Amino acid sequence: MLRLATGLVVAAFVVGHFLNHALGVVSVEAMNGMRSALAAFWRSLPGTILLYGSLATHFALALVSLYRRSTLRMPAWEAAQLILGLAILPMLIGHVVGTRLTWTLYGHYIDYERIVGLLWSDSGAVAWQSALLLIVWTHLAFGVHYWLRLKAWYPAAQPILFAAALLIPAIALAGFAAAGASLWPAIEMVGGMQKYNLDLAGMTDAQRARLVHWREGLTWGFWLLLAATLLARWLRARIGATYQVRHSSGRVITAPVGRTILEAIRDAGIPHASVCGGRARCTTCRVRVGDGLAALPPARPAEARALARIEAPPNVRLACQCRPRSAVAITPLLPPGADAAVARSPGSPQGRERRIVAMFVDLRESTQLGERRLPYDVVFLMNQFFAEMYQALRASNGYYAQFRGDGLLALYGLSTEPAQACREALQGAAEMQRRLEALNASLAADLARPLRIGIGAHVGLAIVGTMGPTDAPIYSAIGDNINIAARLEGMTKAYGCTLVVSEDTLKEAGIDPAGAPLHRVRVRGRNERLNVYAVGDPRTLLGIGV
Ligand code: FES
């Protein structure tokens, strides 16, 4: 959490700083104007503590994690993130000393004219600064991506964020280049910006020597801290006790005490899911612990929170957080290839019984869509239809569980109480009807007949969990009540309506059937008949004018 918070503070500074560079395409004066505005905060006492405190804490946490990471076997993205992060500080020190420290120690305000002029008088400095900009940005973008990809809304926002991730460094570099080009005549005139810059800054030799000492001291400090961390890590791995992990594959792995189960497994070359890179956020690394459970150290707060979120039973632990001191037997609960989509699924893969609303949605007469249409047009139409239904689910807190050719299964109540789930399901049905009509209006010229849907909704107990082939699991639900919802959807054809909803669902939602006809139907999986309502337009249940 602290790493995320400090990273976000530094990211806020970086984004502002890069946008400031981008103003170089306007003028150097515009850059200086924005810089003064940003400096009013970042150079104030609270801004200074926030920024440099965050930078130092972020770096310290990276060293701690490097120390605790007792194996350097890791996925490529984690390795890239670590290397880029460690490259930033030694590359940045000269820039910070030349700008911020010069101001702090001597009150010299190094404006954009001086710093850009100084850099552009040396092609090596231009390349260095540009590389630094790209490294900082890549580290930031990786960090944000691997943090947000576990959020349910991220896939929808990803194209916009990706465009911003490309655009911001591009315009920052364009601004830097434009500012350099505009200053070039002045640089040539004074025979090199370095002389021009130092004269303007009015620094004495002693002051300059002191700055050089600062720069060298900070650089040495960085390398010494890094070397000390690596040495401590190496010593810890070689001195001290070991423990054994008995993996469900039959392998027995010996690892030094202090190493996490995930590190031990990876070091042995066994693939294991780890979507968030060991930050106790995704829970994809979870394992069921057999022998040795009682002797495990208790879960720390971050692990305990993550396990509580997925309602994990007591014998489940996060492999990335758990550091055994004695032998344990473990079984991975997710396939090694589990990805962010699995991590975003709202529950536990072990399966649990829960009272939920199952809703089947079916596109009527979908086979006729293929008549006299190119396959491309049919796929386009179906994708438009599914996009609208998906938006309706999102707007009503529904979970898209399964695709069924020309329909889908949605679940309500995975994280809410049944009464609320019933209300949300009916809102979802109303929103689907509204979106379908809008889609029909926009496609009127292409459709012989408007698209129609049938919806079946029923509340009841079901088994929910992650299921399916090991390399493509989905989060879904099974049980008699799910089958009942499917049958209700099928009845919409016989009743000539859009929605068939069970009386239980309406009662639990506290919603009046609004004059919809009641039917007593027989469904497989139930001995007694089920009361259902055939609703022409789901919006009437909510009192929405049609
Ligand atoms: S790897 Fe994400 S919680 Fe363990």
PDB file of all heavy atoms in Angstrom, residues 274 276 278 280-283 285 318 320, ligand 1:
ATOM      1  N   SER A 274       0.896 -15.701 -10.823  1.00  0.00           N
ATOM      2  CA  SER A 274       1.265 -14.561  -9.964  1.00  0.00           C
ATOM      3  C   SER A 274       0.994 -13.290 -10.758  1.00  0.00           C
ATOM      4  O   SER A 274       1.913 -12.646 -11.254  1.00  0.00           O
ATOM      5  CB  SER A 274       2.736 -14.658  -9.579  1.00  0.00           C
ATOM      6  OG  SER A 274       3.243 -13.425  -9.192  1.00  0.00           O
ATOM      7  N   CYS A 276      -0.149 -10.249  -9.948  1.00  0.00           N
ATOM      8  CA  CYS A 276       0.235  -8.916  -9.447  1.00  0.00           C
ATOM      9  C   CYS A 276       1.711  -8.834  -9.098  1.00  0.00           C
ATOM     10  O   CYS A 276       2.171  -7.819  -8.584  1.00  0.00           O
ATOM     11  CB  CYS A 276      -0.621  -8.519  -8.253  1.00  0.00           C
ATOM     12  SG  CYS A 276      -0.208  -9.431  -6.751  1.00  0.00           S
ATOM     13  N   GLY A 278       3.372 -10.619  -6.834  1.00  0.00           N
ATOM     14  CA  GLY A 278       3.677 -10.850  -5.416  1.00  0.00           C
ATOM     15  C   GLY A 278       3.330  -9.707  -4.510  1.00  0.00           C
ATOM     16  O   GLY A 278       3.975  -9.516  -3.477  1.00  0.00           O
ATOM     17  N   ALA A 280       0.245  -9.176  -3.069  1.00  0.00           N
ATOM     18  CA  ALA A 280      -0.947  -9.495  -2.262  1.00  0.00           C
ATOM     19  C   ALA A 280      -2.187  -8.781  -2.771  1.00  0.00           C
ATOM     20  O   ALA A 280      -3.049  -8.383  -1.994  1.00  0.00           O
ATOM     21  CB  ALA A 280      -0.712  -9.154  -0.790  1.00  0.00           C
ATOM     22  N   ARG A 281      -2.293  -8.613  -4.081  1.00  0.00           N
ATOM     23  CA  ARG A 281      -3.473  -7.935  -4.628  1.00  0.00           C
ATOM     24  C   ARG A 281      -4.360  -8.883  -5.431  1.00  0.00           C
ATOM     25  O   ARG A 281      -5.562  -8.768  -5.422  1.00  0.00           O
ATOM     26  CB  ARG A 281      -3.045  -6.797  -5.556  1.00  0.00           C
ATOM     27  CG  ARG A 281      -2.381  -5.657  -4.833  1.00  0.00           C
ATOM     28  CD  ARG A 281      -2.163  -4.511  -5.818  1.00  0.00           C
ATOM     29  NE  ARG A 281      -1.129  -3.625  -5.310  1.00  0.00           N
ATOM     30  CZ  ARG A 281      -0.232  -3.014  -6.069  1.00  0.00           C
ATOM     31  NH1 ARG A 281      -0.242  -3.208  -7.366  1.00  0.00           N
ATOM     32  NH2 ARG A 281       0.666  -2.221  -5.552  1.00  0.00           N
ATOM     33  N   CYS A 282      -3.742  -9.816  -6.190  1.00  0.00           N
ATOM     34  CA  CYS A 282      -4.543 -10.573  -7.160  1.00  0.00           C
ATOM     35  C   CYS A 282      -5.077 -11.895  -6.613  1.00  0.00           C
ATOM     36  O   CYS A 282      -6.083 -12.388  -7.089  1.00  0.00           O
ATOM     37  CB  CYS A 282      -3.702 -10.852  -8.403  1.00  0.00           C
ATOM     38  SG  CYS A 282      -2.336 -11.985  -8.097  1.00  0.00           S
ATOM     39  N   THR A 283      -4.388 -12.476  -5.646  1.00  0.00           N
ATOM     40  CA  THR A 283      -4.690 -13.792  -5.040  1.00  0.00           C
ATOM     41  C   THR A 283      -4.570 -14.962  -6.026  1.00  0.00           C
ATOM     42  O   THR A 283      -4.988 -16.069  -5.710  1.00  0.00           O
ATOM     43  CB  THR A 283      -6.091 -13.840  -4.364  1.00  0.00           C
ATOM     44  OG1 THR A 283      -7.099 -13.879  -5.358  1.00  0.00           O
ATOM     45  CG2 THR A 283      -6.322 -12.698  -3.410  1.00  0.00           C
ATOM     46  N   CYS A 285      -1.988 -16.468  -6.792  1.00  0.00           N
ATOM     47  CA  CYS A 285      -0.919 -17.381  -6.351  1.00  0.00           C
ATOM     48  C   CYS A 285      -1.387 -18.303  -5.236  1.00  0.00           C
ATOM     49  O   CYS A 285      -0.600 -19.082  -4.712  1.00  0.00           O
ATOM     50  CB  CYS A 285       0.275 -16.560  -5.857  1.00  0.00           C
ATOM     51  SG  CYS A 285      -0.137 -15.597  -4.395  1.00  0.00           S
ATOM     52  N   LEU A 318      -1.648 -17.260   0.564  1.00  0.00           N
ATOM     53  CA  LEU A 318      -1.044 -16.671  -0.641  1.00  0.00           C
ATOM     54  C   LEU A 318       0.414 -17.111  -0.707  1.00  0.00           C
ATOM     55  O   LEU A 318       1.189 -16.819   0.211  1.00  0.00           O
ATOM     56  CB  LEU A 318      -1.131 -15.151  -0.601  1.00  0.00           C
ATOM     57  CG  LEU A 318      -2.524 -14.532  -0.623  1.00  0.00           C
ATOM     58  CD1 LEU A 318      -2.417 -13.009  -0.707  1.00  0.00           C
ATOM     59  CD2 LEU A 318      -3.345 -15.065  -1.790  1.00  0.00           C
ATOM     60  N   CYS A 320       2.740 -15.978  -2.402  1.00  0.00           N
ATOM     61  CA  CYS A 320       3.698 -14.871  -2.513  1.00  0.00           C
ATOM     62  C   CYS A 320       3.953 -14.190  -1.174  1.00  0.00           C
ATOM     63  O   CYS A 320       4.860 -13.366  -1.070  1.00  0.00           O
ATOM     64  CB  CYS A 320       3.220 -13.849  -3.539  1.00  0.00           C
ATOM     65  SG  CYS A 320       1.819 -12.876  -2.985  1.00  0.00           S
TER      66      CYS A 320
HETATM   67  S1  FES B   1       0.925 -12.932  -6.728  1.00  0.00           S
HETATM   68 FE1  FES B   1      -0.762 -11.633  -6.536  1.00  0.00          FE
HETATM   69  S2  FES B   1      -1.421 -12.044  -4.520  1.00  0.00           S
HETATM   70 FE2  FES B   1       0.271 -13.353  -4.730  1.00  0.00          FE
END
